[in-house]
Amino acid sequence: LAFGKLGGGELNYSSDIDLLAISGKALDEGREDLFKRVMENLRGDLSAHTAEGAAYRVDLRLRPFGRSGELVSSVPRLIQYYRRQAAVWELQALLKARPVAGNRRVGEDFLRECRAFFQQTGSPAEIAASLEKMRKTSRDKLNHGIATGRNIKLGVGGIRDVEFLVQGLQLIHASEGEKLLSGNTLRALSALGELGILTVLQAETLRRDYLFLRRIEHYLQIFEDRQTHTLPRNEQELQALSRRMLGAQAGTPQFLDRVSACMQRVEATYRHFFGA
């Protein structure tokens, strides 16, 4: 199964890919060891650096119990885990899960069984508290890093806030229709608007602002050929990015004003639904 951006069908130019390996049947010791080696080899082949570069950075930490958990879990074991032990953030992550390799039917059957769990995530206040805890963790990481320019993913009103807003509303309103549980942010925004959970204006404004920030993200990663979400501090690089985004006549102040206005709108909408 793919989680994250690959699960949602919305990879960046330089995305990690988040994978979870599952088995349709219970695993004895021999099969568990075999499948573990398969996943270790798969991760190695996808992420190995060669003369042509690397295919993907692979992250397997979204599995139950993270780094300390088994690399491969059986469906019965996973069902039990998500029913009894999963935290709100794990169900939030599960919203984006999608079968991408192997026996797709096993993955689809597993996710079908998981649908009921989205309606058991707790009260809106508990969901809001979980979102806020994750946002604070992201901000703390930024604050403890080397001082750089504005981060359009993790900063206040950034890409992550759009995604958390959408996922929080999906969990709160999960009982209102399966269409709402799309792992793709834009399709989920559309569903939230159609159901009246967001107004038409809110849904369309968030869609435009999300696409604007994602375009910046793509260009940043193309420029630097690495995973980055921070606006450059170098004036020439910032000017080049401004023109790439807004046209040949655009100046840096015009671009920065547009970014600020965009992130302020996202933050205001987030606070409207999940205020302090």
Side-chain angles (χ1 to χ4, degrees):
L1 301 174
F3 282 67
K5 288 289 193 295
L6 178 59
E10 47 197 12
L11 285 178
N12 301 332
Y13 177 79
S14 185
S15 283
D16 293 351
I17 59 172
D18 299 286
L19 301 177
L20 172 68
I22 68 172
S23 168
K25 299 178 180 179
L27 299 173
D28 58 34
E29 187 175 340
R31 285 166 62 86
E32 190 167 0
D33 182 64
L34 170 64
F35 292 164
K36 177 182 177 182
R37 284 187 280 117
V38 169
M39 285 307 296
E40 288 171 341
N41 290 340
L42 176 64
R43 174 171 53 187
D45 288 343
L46 286 174
S47 58
H49 285 271
T50 69
E52 289 79 27
Y56 295 103
R57 290 179 301 274
V58 180
D59 193 339
L60 304 176
R61 291 174 298 173
L62 285 180
R63 64 188 187 272
F65 304 110
R67 292 181 188 275
S68 61
E70 297 294 339
L71 277 181
V72 183
S73 294
S74 68
V75 166
R77 188 187 301 175
L78 275 176
I79 292 293
Q80 185 179 45
Y81 178 83
Y82 280 110
R83 178 182 288 124
R84 298 180 180 177
Q85 295 176 263
V88 172
W89 72 263
E90 291 177 290
L91 292 169
Q92 181 185 342
L94 189 63
L95 282 167
K96 301 187 83 66
R98 177 171 64 93
V100 290
N103 187 334
R104 308 286 180 97
R105 186 169 181 177
V106 171
E108 289 162 0
D109 289 346
F110 164 68
L111 292 177
R112 195 174 299 114
E113 285 198 62
C114 289
R115 293 292 181 186
F117 304 152
F118 295 126
Q119 300 176 32
Q120 304 168 13
T121 51
S123 68
E126 290 173 315
I127 292 169
S130 175
L131 295 175
E132 197 59 30
K133 182 178 179 180
M134 288 189 289
R135 290 177 84 233
K136 184 179 185 303
T137 299
S138 296
R139 302 293 188 278
D140 289 346
K141 288 180 180 178
L142 282 181
N143 293 336
H144 285 98
I146 299 172
T148 58
R150 170 173 281 179
N151 189 300
I152 52 95
K153 178 180 180 179
L154 302 180
V156 174
I159 293 166
R160 181 64 57 82
D161 278 358
V162 179
E163 294 168 346
F164 278 13
L165 168 62
V166 169
Q167 291 159 13
L169 292 176
Q170 286 177 293
L171 292 177
I172 290 171
H173 298 276
S175 62
E176 297 185 30
E178 194 166 307
K179 184 178 180 181
L180 185 60
L181 299 178
S182 172
N184 180 276
T185 301
L186 293 175
R187 286 198 290 271
L189 271 173
S190 178
L192 288 166
E194 290 173 14
L195 289 170
I197 297 165
L198 292 171
T199 67
V200 173
L201 179 60
Q202 285 171 332
E204 177 58 23
T205 301
L206 281 169
R207 185 189 74 85
R208 288 200 310 266
D209 287 340
Y210 180 71
L211 287 173
F212 178 69
L213 293 172
R214 288 297 306 276
R215 281 185 64 222
I216 297 173
E217 182 181 45
H218 286 306
Y219 282 135
L220 287 173
Q221 295 181 1
I222 290 171
F223 282 160
E224 301 195 26
D225 196 25
R226 66 185 181 92
Q227 190 178 49
T228 181
H229 311 93
T230 303
L231 297 184
R233 303 190 71 169
N234 177 279
E235 184 58 39
Q236 289 183 325
E237 293 176 358
L238 193 54
Q239 179 66 64
L241 178 61
S242 302
R243 291 175 175 172
R244 180 79 61 165
M245 288 296 301
L246 301 182
Q249 305 306 314
T252 298
Q254 178 187 359
F255 171 66
L256 293 179
D257 286 348
R258 178 91 174 265
V259 172
S260 293
C262 170
M263 296 179 77
Q264 287 169 13
R265 284 192 298 270
V266 170
E267 167 69 359
T269 307
Y270 183 93
R271 285 298 172 203
H272 174 74
F273 289 94
F274 298 109

